[in-house]
Amino acid sequence: MKILDAEFVQGFIRMANDGWEQGWHERNGGNLSYRIKPEEVESVKENFKPKEWQPIGTSVPKLANEYFLVTGSGKYFRNVIIKPEDSICIIEVDGKGENYRIVWGLVNGGRPTSELPSHLMNHEVKMVASNGAHRVIYHAHTTNVIALTFVLPLEDKVFTRELWEMATECPVVFPDGIGVVPWMVPGGREIAVATSELMKKYDVAIWAHHGMFASGEDFDLTFGLMHTVEKSAEILVKMLSMQPDKRQTITPQNFRDLAGDFKVALPEEFLYEK
Ligand code: 13P
Ligand code: ZN
């Protein structure tokens, strides 16, 4: 099968374009990766032309021999839909989880996203935590969440609670909460380690003054998660723009009642009295 005809490639391209249309991907901002299923690799591997091995910059032994579809470094999300072969690539991880090689794509040269260490370390953590179910890691420059990182304390419990309060669906969509990474230099192992540590507990991590990482089982769930968190942040920005305090809100007891009916476990650490 031609690579571009494969359903997982079509889904990846659509998600990248959806993110562009949301306004989360100025210039080359953001990146996306998908851990390809063995049967999907089989269906397209006749097209693979492996290039030379390169260091990942970190170690992901549990991802040995896995294949990923990834956006290219410096590539624009708005171009993925019109020139996918130039904008994205498939990489293979070696048997030790320390090197990768491009086997398809980036036809005009280049390399996978500079955030590859964060993507792969997050994939490793989430693959283990979900028994293999999570396959998508998404990084976007979500405007309202970024704005909030200038005014809220950079604490998991504050971001989780404030975003839960802004839309009733939020605690159902991200019941485990949200982690926050303080400002760090992007693109390297250090921020990857900090993010993947939070991803052991959460499906979403905020990078202060930068953006967000989300993890999920498929493109719909992961895009939907990013969209829900960012929408909630937009409501909070609007609310704070009208007045500094809420006149009424969803209370800790309301959350407990919701958790019972919707059969989600909401950790008490986020249901503190203010
Ligand atoms: P890349 O173009 O290397 O993917 O980087 C974009 C980005 O958002 C860095 O955090
Ligand atoms: Zn970024």
Side-chain angles (χ1 to χ4, degrees):
M1 189 195 301
K2 284 195 190 138
I3 302 256
L4 295 180
D5 292 340
E7 202 179 325
F8 72 95
V9 180
Q10 291 291 323
F12 184 99
I13 294 171
R14 177 173 172 227
M15 177 157 161
N17 200 60
D18 285 347
W20 156 248
E21 289 183 349
Q22 289 297 324
W24 301 337
H25 300 287
E26 76 291 343
R27 205 173 179 278
N28 64 309
N31 19 76
L32 175 62
S33 63
Y34 169 72
R35 187 166 56 85
I36 308 172
K37 295 175 183 164
E39 62 271 25
E40 292 170 332
V41 173
E42 277 306 311
S43 72
V44 296
K45 78 174 194 204
E46 68 199 84
N47 305 284
F48 290 176
K49 292 192 183 64
K51 302 233 172 72
E52 57 290 353
W53 293 103
Q54 306 283 346
I56 294 168
T58 191
S59 178
V60 283
K62 297 193 184 82
L63 298 180
N65 307 313
E66 293 274 353
Y67 288 81
F68 294 85
L69 182 56
V70 192
T71 50
S73 185
K75 299 296 181 179
Y76 291 24
F77 267 53
R78 67 186 281 261
N79 289 335
V80 169
I81 197 164
I82 55 161
K83 38 181 182 175
E85 300 99 327
D86 171 71
S87 307
I88 64 178
C89 62
I90 293 177
I91 60 167
E92 176 188 3
V93 174
D94 72 0
K96 289 187 170 160
E98 289 185 357
N99 300 286
Y100 74 87
R101 63 180 176 183
I102 295 172
V103 299
W104 173 85
L106 289 175
V107 290
N108 297 308
R111 59 188 181 92
T113 172
S114 59
E115 304 294 0
L116 193 64
S118 281
H119 278 261
L120 294 185
M121 290 191 83
N122 288 341
H123 272 294
E124 189 177 48
V125 161
K126 299 310 290 187
M127 185 183 79
V128 172
S130 69
N131 264 327
H134 277 223
R135 294 191 169 272
V136 182
I137 298 288
Y138 183 29
H139 169 56
H141 293 180
T142 42
T143 314
N144 293 283
V145 162
I146 296 169
L148 289 175
T149 65
F150 294 93
V151 298
L152 294 184
L154 299 175
E155 294 171 23
D156 302 4
K157 70 180 183 122
V158 174
F159 269 83
T160 299
R161 175 66 175 279
E162 293 306 312
L163 292 173
W164 275 4
E165 278 185 44
M166 287 302 112
T168 299
E169 67 177 319
C170 285
V172 180
V173 176
F174 50 98
D176 297 332
I178 291 182
V180 185
V181 180
W183 189 87
M184 292 176 78
V185 176
R189 186 172 181 277
E190 208 184 327
I191 197 167
V193 170
T195 312
S196 60
E197 199 52 44
L198 290 176
M199 283 295 198
K200 289 179 183 162
K201 186 170 176 192
Y202 307 114
D203 290 340
V204 184
I206 291 171
W207 280 5
H209 323 322
H210 185 145
M212 249 197 289
F213 266 86
S215 172
E217 296 181 15
D218 59 26
F219 298 122
D220 279 351
L221 285 166
T222 314
F223 187 84
L225 177 58
M226 183 73 80
H227 202 186
T228 304
V229 176
E230 171 60 5
K231 171 91 184 269
S232 190
E234 182 180 351
I235 299 168
L236 184 53
V237 167
K238 284 181 166 35
M239 189 230 101
L240 292 169
S241 312
M242 289 185 283
Q243 59 182 57
D245 300 312
K246 298 160 197 154
R247 180 166 180 152
Q248 54 270 322
T249 188
I250 305 170
T251 66
Q253 191 51 48
N254 291 155
F255 284 123
R256 291 184 191 105
D257 295 344
L258 186 80
D261 274 23
F262 281 78
K263 306 204 173 8
V264 287
L266 300 180
E268 279 293 318
E269 66 179 296
F270 302 126
L271 301 180
Y272 50 88
E273 290 302 328
K274 291 196 236 179

